[in-house]
Amino acid sequence: MTAAKAAQKRYFDARRAEAVSLRTVASLRLTLVLFGLLGAALVAVNLTQWPATWLIAVPCALLAVNLLAAIAAHPAFRLRMPLLVFHLALAAVLLLAAMGRMTHLKGELELSTGDTFEGVLTRTQAAPWHRSKLGEVRFTNAGYAIDYAPGVKRGRTANRIVWRDESGFERESVVGDDVPFTLFGYRFYTSFNKGFAPIVRWQPANGSPVQRGTIHLPSYPLHEHGQAQEWTPPGADAKLWLMLKFDEMLLDPERHSQFRLPQRHTLIVREGARRVELAPGGGMDLAQGTLVYEGLTTWMGYTVFSDWTLPWLVVASLVAAAGLAWHFASRFAARSWMSPC
Amino acid sequence: MLETFTFETALLWLALLAYAGTLASALRAIACGQSAEGAVGLGMTVGLALHTIALALRWTRLGHGPFITLYEVLSSNIWSLLLVYAIAWWRIRAVRAAAPAVLAVVLVLGAWLLAVGEQDGHLPPTYRTVWLYAHVGFGKLFLGAALVAVGIAALILLRSMNVFATRLATLPADVPLEELAFRFLAFAFVFETLMLIVGAIWAQDAWGRYWAWDPLETWSFLTWLALAAFLHLRVTLRAGPRLRACAVIGIFVLAFVTFFGVPFVSTAVHKGMV
């Protein structure tokens, strides 16, 4: 054998080996095995407390490789355009979902009525590759209305949000549990979590500047009988116990009602054994300063979600569904439903 | 119960009675080697008409669709399953012999419905969206198409066991019957895909996430995976019609458990029928 023939043989052997490897990775039997593996992982995740991400991600990644290899290796995909569209769209869904997992953000925040969000969340779950733009997001909670059906069943929430657009114009939007306010790709939703917030003024005895703010009491009506909170004034040592007291029935279980502030209310403040009941405008002297109860407002708990892949995921999955329907419709149109074989 | 027995409830009971009568006619006919197509067609039409009016009255009275309480979900599923089957029954002759199997499944839900008793529900704030209607609609089409496939699969298995041999001998051979079941299951797969997509769109705005592997989502996806595996198995393994018929029934059982079982054990916010 000449050197040229030997090189040619080596070339063809290598190509043959590549083709065999591709066919193995593209095998439909492997697809079935991976379906089984993914199914087992899902059952394990559902029945145990095992971490979902890796258990699901590994078989999904293997399925994606198997799918791409199948598209490359099987001529059926080139002959049947709808089938190719479906599988390519499915590969796109897998890729986008994986990207979304690596770049998304979930979080929560609370905002008193009249206060402005300045980019700080109370709870954050950011994926490793998330690039935060939250620092640029600004909006003000301008108050809300919540309908309640008989039985104190929460209905629609309409929360007014004031924000500035790119041109600096002030705009107003209405946010709900299922109607997000979207800015810089962050989707803000209202939640069941909301309640009352006493407005207090703290005047330190040492001459430091007066501070004014709100204290968020536990969610209402979820904690209807526990409207109390511990709070330490800024720069002080003593921990105070505050409780909102009112006698009105705000949400009537017998009829439709709306979330509202009580008309008459007082704030009970306890410092050690000392107990003082403050009406709006009333104050009390403490060892390290003076506390004034200015009045009552509300707070709203928001959830925030950011995932740039969302619109692309919708498009890819709808294309996949359309490809699938197209594939079956064209395949079944070839033979009558009355005698399908 | 008698205190709350309204015209709407009376219509529903009459519809269930019509379905039960249809099942009795279908069973009697298949046992005697006859077809009873006229009686089955009339029974389903009358039952569906009464049921449609009952659901419409309820929808008008409550101001929301029948998908909040267990009573509503069972009632609307009985209606949708039979509607899909009735359309298939009208268009495809081979499907008509499957009436006893299909009606038996439907009447299991009917018995459950009577045991549950009538309940009115409150429409949660995140349910006022067109996506919910699309999600529920595709879910019903999925289950309806899968039930027709099950009816056909049952015919293949009954014939292999030599049950109702006279009537079943008049049907097409097992291979075309299995192909017919496959077609319905293929469209069930499309509808389930759409149900999952639309459900994810709804979940994004309802709960601030499009997918969270809650029990209902997980088991719905498992059903989708089982359907996908079945479609691939048809290409990969040369199994006979009987084995494939068993697989069709297995997939329907999985879907049925997902729809009507998982919501009872799930503590997630996504409750499905509960």
Side-chain angles (χ1 to χ4, degrees):
Chain A
M1 191 186 285
T2 63
K5 277 190 176 175
Q8 197 178 29
K9 185 176 180 302
R10 276 201 303 278
Y11 172 77
F12 282 117
D13 284 349
R15 292 299 302 269
R16 205 172 296 126
E18 274 175 26
V20 169
S21 307
L22 185 65
R23 275 204 299 275
T24 309
V25 178
S27 152
L28 264 180
R29 285 168 195 262
L30 179 63
T31 311
L32 288 169
V33 170
L34 293 174
F35 277 161
L37 199 64
L38 180 57
L42 290 173
V43 173
V45 165
N46 195 237
L47 299 181
T48 67
Q49 297 298 314
W50 295 353
T53 307
W54 288 108
L55 270 176
I56 295 169
V58 170
C60 279
L62 293 173
L63 270 169
V65 172
N66 170 252
L67 175 59
L68 292 172
I71 290 169
H74 293 307
F77 286 107
R78 286 184 287 281
L79 296 171
R80 294 179 189 157
M81 175 64 82
L83 202 61
L84 179 65
V85 168
F86 168 65
H87 283 90
L88 280 176
L90 203 59
V93 168
L94 279 170
L95 185 69
L96 285 165
M99 289 298 288
R101 286 298 83 197
M102 297 307 289
T103 56
H104 80 286
L105 175 134
K106 273 168 74 175
E108 290 170 12
L109 67 123
E110 292 177 5
L111 213 54
S112 296
T113 300
D115 279 2
T116 299
F117 173 66
E118 291 176 336
V120 181
L121 301 176
T122 49
R123 218 161 79 175
T124 312
Q125 188 188 327
W129 297 345
H130 179 75
R131 285 187 186 173
S132 182
K133 286 185 182 172
L134 268 173
E136 297 172 50
V137 179
R138 293 283 182 280
F139 67 86
T140 303
N141 172 6
Y144 55 84
I146 306 172
D147 298 323
Y148 278 83
V152 194
K153 288 174 178 162
R154 193 167 63 92
R156 187 170 172 266
T157 298
N159 184 187
R160 289 187 301 115
I161 294 290
V162 177
W163 54 287
R164 286 187 188 281
D165 65 16
E166 287 167 355
S167 317
F169 288 111
E170 195 171 276
R171 295 193 176 274
E172 190 175 299
S173 303
V174 176
V175 192
D177 284 14
D178 54 349
V179 183
F181 160 65
T182 307
L183 203 59
F184 294 105
Y186 292 96
R187 300 162 76 89
F188 293 87
Y189 301 87
T190 57
S191 72
F192 70 94
N193 198 24
K194 81 287 172 198
F196 302 118
I199 307 165
V200 294
R201 195 172 68 231
W202 173 246
Q203 190 168 340
N206 61 10
S208 301
V210 173
Q211 297 198 42
R212 187 174 178 274
T214 55
I215 298 159
H216 294 182
L217 295 177
S219 187
Y220 189 92
L222 187 64
H223 300 286
E224 186 180 0
H225 303 293
Q227 290 297 297
Q229 189 71 279
E230 281 192 331
W231 177 67
T232 306
D237 306 323
K239 194 177 274 183
L240 305 178
W241 181 86
L242 313 170
M243 191 182 85
L244 182 68
K245 184 182 161 192
F246 58 90
D247 294 327
E248 291 166 58
M249 180 191 284
L250 298 180
L251 302 169
D252 191 340
E254 301 298 323
R255 52 180 60 88
H256 285 276
S257 48
Q258 272 215 332
F259 189 92
R260 64 176 175 86
L261 290 174
Q263 286 176 332
R264 290 183 178 186
H265 50 87
T266 54
L267 187 69
I268 297 170
V269 183
R270 222 168 55 195
E271 183 201 24
R274 187 178 167 214
R275 182 183 184 280
V276 177
E277 192 165 332
L278 300 175
M284 68 182 284
D285 290 325
L286 298 159
Q288 292 171 301
T290 303
L291 180 74
V292 178
Y293 174 45
E294 291 194 348
L296 192 64
T297 187
T298 52
W299 63 269
M300 173 55 76
Y302 300 87
T303 57
V304 53
F305 184 79
S306 167
D307 185 347
W308 65 270
T309 65
L310 284 184
W312 301 106
L313 264 174
V314 172
V315 170
S317 46
L318 287 176
V319 168
L324 197 62
W326 180 17
H327 168 66
F328 287 131
S330 56
R331 198 185 146 184
F332 298 156
R335 278 185 178 273
S336 161
W337 283 71
M338 301 300 165
S339 52
C341 279
Chain B
M1 188 71 194
L2 281 174
E3 285 170 18
T4 59
F5 200 85
T6 58
F7 181 56
E8 168 197 315
T9 316
L11 285 175
L12 178 64
W13 281 41
L14 283 174
L16 290 177
L17 208 61
Y19 299 148
T22 311
L23 173 61
S25 300
L27 275 173
R28 186 176 168 279
I30 202 168
C32 297
Q34 297 162 351
S35 72
E37 285 177 4
V40 171
L42 182 69
M44 281 197 303
T45 309
V46 169
L48 278 170
L50 293 168
H51 202 158
T52 306
I53 299 169
L55 286 172
L57 286 174
R58 185 177 183 83
W59 196 319
T60 312
R61 179 170 62 83
L62 296 176
H64 62 74
F67 34 62
I68 303 301
T69 62
L70 177 57
Y71 176 85
E72 289 171 351
V73 174
L74 285 171
S75 177
S76 62
N77 269 302
I78 291 170
W79 178 82
S80 61
L81 287 172
L82 266 179
L83 183 66
V84 172
Y85 176 66
I87 293 168
W89 185 93
W90 171 48
R91 300 293 298 163
I92 303 161
R93 203 172 181 84
V95 166
R96 296 184 179 182
V102 170
L103 283 160
V105 174
V106 167
L107 281 169
V108 167
L109 294 176
W112 190 359
L113 175 69
L114 292 178
V116 165
E118 192 171 344
Q119 314 148 330
D120 292 348
H122 165 70
L123 192 71
T126 53
Y127 278 47
R128 294 178 195 280
T129 163
V130 68
W131 296 113
L132 168 67
Y133 290 84
H135 178 59
V136 170
F138 284 129
K140 288 187 187 310
L141 286 171
F142 155 60
L143 212 59
L147 180 62
V148 177
V150 162
I152 300 165
L155 294 178
I156 296 169
L157 293 177
L158 286 172
R159 186 154 61 185
S160 74
M161 291 185 277
N162 221 16
V163 181
F164 306 135
T166 314
R167 169 74 177 106
L168 299 186
T170 64
L171 295 177
D174 283 355
V175 173
L177 269 187
E178 193 277 326
E179 167 69 19
L180 198 57
F182 160 67
R183 289 184 173 200
F184 277 99
L185 216 54
F187 278 110
F189 186 54
V190 175
F191 291 132
E192 204 202 355
T193 306
L194 287 166
M195 179 192 80
L196 294 179
I197 295 168
V198 170
I201 294 171
W202 174 38
Q204 175 58 52
D205 282 343
W207 302 305
R209 90 291 188 284
Y210 66 89
W211 197 269
W213 296 114
D214 68 37
L216 204 51
E217 287 168 355
T218 304
W219 285 93
S220 301
F221 186 72
L222 270 170
T223 309
W224 187 89
L225 212 56
L227 266 166
F230 173 75
L231 298 178
H232 283 83
L233 262 173
R234 276 188 109 252
V235 182
T236 320
L237 300 178
R238 305 247 173 261
R242 267 177 271 172
L243 195 62
R244 289 176 178 177
C246 288
V248 169
I249 291 172
I251 289 167
F252 183 77
V253 168
L254 184 59
F256 195 86
V257 169
T258 301
F259 266 70
F260 300 107
V262 172
F264 288 97
V265 293
S266 169
T267 53
V269 65
H270 183 195
K271 279 296 195 184
M273 68 176 298
V274 177

